[in-house]
Amino acid sequence: MAKLNIYSNCSTNLLSVKMNIRQIAGFLWGLVVIITSNTIWLVPTAEAFPVSAENDVRFTQQQQKILAQLQTANIIYLGETHDSESDHQQQLAIIQTLFKHKSKLAIGMEMFQRPAQPLLDRYLAAKITTAELRQQTEFDRRWGFKWEYYAPILEFAKAHRLPIIALNTPTEITRKVAREGWESLTPAELQYIPPIAEIDRSNAKYQQMILASYQQHAGIVSISSKSFDRFYTAQLLWDETMAERVANFVKQNPDYQTIVLAGRSHIIYGYGIPDRVFRRLNRLKLYQKTVLLSHDGNSEQPKAANFSWNGD
């Protein structure tokens, strides 16, 4: 069976498709949503939490209370705006603070695609440098946002021997699905995604939410149109691949607290990753918490996540 050449150079046309998908997906960050019911609220005191983290990010009283409640979770989702430097500083601060209370932490990162896992493992084992990790994972081309935003998180994980989980679907696969559909995938490509039978398309509200965003770029498009269906399928592919990776890690490492770093569109409403993790782990006692790190300038209803880090 031929292997997928996951780090081969891409043509200009393929890169254009990638950017179109990312531009449309960017609109999802600010959608108004409500919270999933798949969480259980436990409220310990916040007195044990410091007012600042190691990188001198200062916590408000409300943020200290949020940190206390995050301590109870098996899985924590920190929904970021990818180009917000503040969001990434807050991610590191939260990780540093929770690490003081739970040394067995793992960090799942949307920013790295599944084939990068061996390279992340080599980096954490000090077998390659930070610069080599960046180059060999093709981070700048495949992710496209500033390396400097994520490097301190990687360095903290390495210094404290925290596992990092490469969550994302290879871009070659999401592009291909968006252009040609499921049926175009080869056996080599299928190994990087969950079984197609596990891709859950049943959430009509999620589909409508994505359709509204898609129409901002594509104009009035029917929900049954082939172009939208392929875009929606690519979005589901991102969500399900990341959910599978998180769920598998939790099954194999139930004593770890897992912190997931991903874009807001994969967190809000629970429609993206959280509900799909819950579905896979429904036989386990599971507490999930979602945090939106910043507002995107649009009005958001309360309960878009369990917590709004810089809001009410």
Side-chain angles (χ1 to χ4, degrees):
M1 181 184 296
K3 284 189 175 180
L4 176 64
N5 185 8
I6 206 63
Y7 290 123
S8 61
N9 290 328
C10 298
S11 68
T12 301
N13 288 338
L14 289 180
L15 285 174
S16 176
V17 172
K18 174 186 177 184
M19 290 307 299
N20 288 338
I21 293 173
R22 190 173 294 282
Q23 287 168 358
I24 296 171
F27 277 89
L28 297 175
W29 296 347
L31 292 176
V32 177
V33 290
I34 62 174
I35 186 62
T36 175
S37 62
N38 294 334
T39 56
I40 298 176
W41 288 78
L42 299 177
V43 187
T45 64
E47 294 176 356
F49 286 87
V51 296
S52 63
E54 292 177 23
N55 61 348
D56 203 32
V57 171
R58 304 288 294 181
F59 299 135
T60 65
Q61 186 176 15
Q62 179 62 25
Q63 288 168 349
Q64 292 177 62
K65 292 179 180 179
I66 293 173
L67 285 165
Q69 295 193 55
L70 294 182
Q71 188 183 5
T72 69
N74 304 101
I75 307 171
I76 298 165
Y77 301 90
L78 302 181
E80 66 174 51
T81 298
H82 298 314
D83 59 357
S84 169
E85 183 176 6
S86 174
D87 279 13
H88 303 302
Q89 291 172 342
Q90 297 291 347
Q91 285 171 335
L92 177 59
I94 292 168
I95 291 168
Q96 289 173 336
T97 304
L98 290 175
F99 176 71
K100 295 176 181 178
H101 295 266
K102 177 76 172 179
S103 60
K104 286 191 172 183
L105 284 185
I107 305 170
M109 299 186 70
E110 180 192 358
M111 304 81 212
F112 291 99
Q113 296 165 13
R114 289 179 66 163
Q117 190 63 58
L119 295 169
L120 285 167
D121 294 342
R122 286 176 58 80
Y123 167 76
L124 294 171
K127 294 181 179 179
I128 60 174
T129 65
T130 303
E132 289 170 332
L133 177 68
R134 180 179 182 178
Q135 179 184 24
Q136 292 177 28
T137 60
E138 300 181 348
F139 181 93
D140 296 287
R141 180 169 70 84
R142 291 182 173 275
W143 184 237
F145 295 94
K146 289 186 178 180
W147 171 263
E148 292 76 16
Y149 288 162
Y150 303 96
I153 296 170
L154 295 169
E155 291 164 3
F156 183 83
K158 181 179 179 181
H160 296 281
R161 300 184 179 182
L162 307 182
I164 298 175
I165 313 161
L167 298 181
N168 213 343
T169 315
T171 51
E172 290 85 349
I173 294 176
T174 49
R175 289 191 208 117
K176 193 173 185 182
V177 169
R179 295 178 65 187
E180 303 173 43
W182 287 119
E183 61 276 10
S184 66
L185 296 181
T186 67
E189 291 165 334
L190 289 170
Q191 70 179 308
Y192 290 109
I193 64 172
I196 292 177
E198 294 183 9
I199 307 300
D200 182 10
R201 302 176 63 90
S202 65
N203 191 327
K205 291 182 179 179
Y206 192 30
Q207 187 179 38
Q208 288 289 341
M209 183 179 80
I210 294 176
L211 176 64
S213 298
Y214 184 77
Q215 288 177 336
Q216 294 186 51
H217 271 268
I220 301 301
V221 175
S222 167
I223 200 167
S224 61
S225 73
K226 183 174 290 188
S227 63
F228 170 70
D229 183 71
R230 287 176 175 172
F231 175 76
Y232 180 52
T233 299
Q235 177 74 21
L236 293 175
L237 186 60
W238 276 322
D239 295 333
E240 293 282 10
T241 300
M242 290 191 281
E244 182 188 55
R245 291 285 285 165
V246 173
N248 287 347
F249 181 87
V250 172
K251 287 178 184 177
Q252 296 166 11
N253 303 274
D255 55 338
Y256 271 77
Q257 185 177 59
T258 304
I259 301 175
V260 176
L261 310 183
R264 296 166 55 90
S265 64
H266 298 290
I267 302 303
I268 52 178
Y269 205 7
Y271 286 164
I273 308 171
D275 282 358
R276 297 166 198 277
V277 169
F278 185 84
R279 188 186 79 227
R280 288 177 165 85
L281 298 177
N282 62 0
R283 294 184 180 180
L284 300 180
K285 184 178 181 181
L286 181 68
Y287 305 130
Q288 300 193 98
K289 301 292 185 184
T290 53
V291 182
L292 293 182
L293 293 168
S294 61
H295 293 290
D296 68 347
N298 295 323
S299 175
E300 290 183 337
Q301 294 178 354
K303 303 304 180 184
N306 289 113
F307 306 108
S308 175
W309 186 250
N310 289 308
D312 296 332

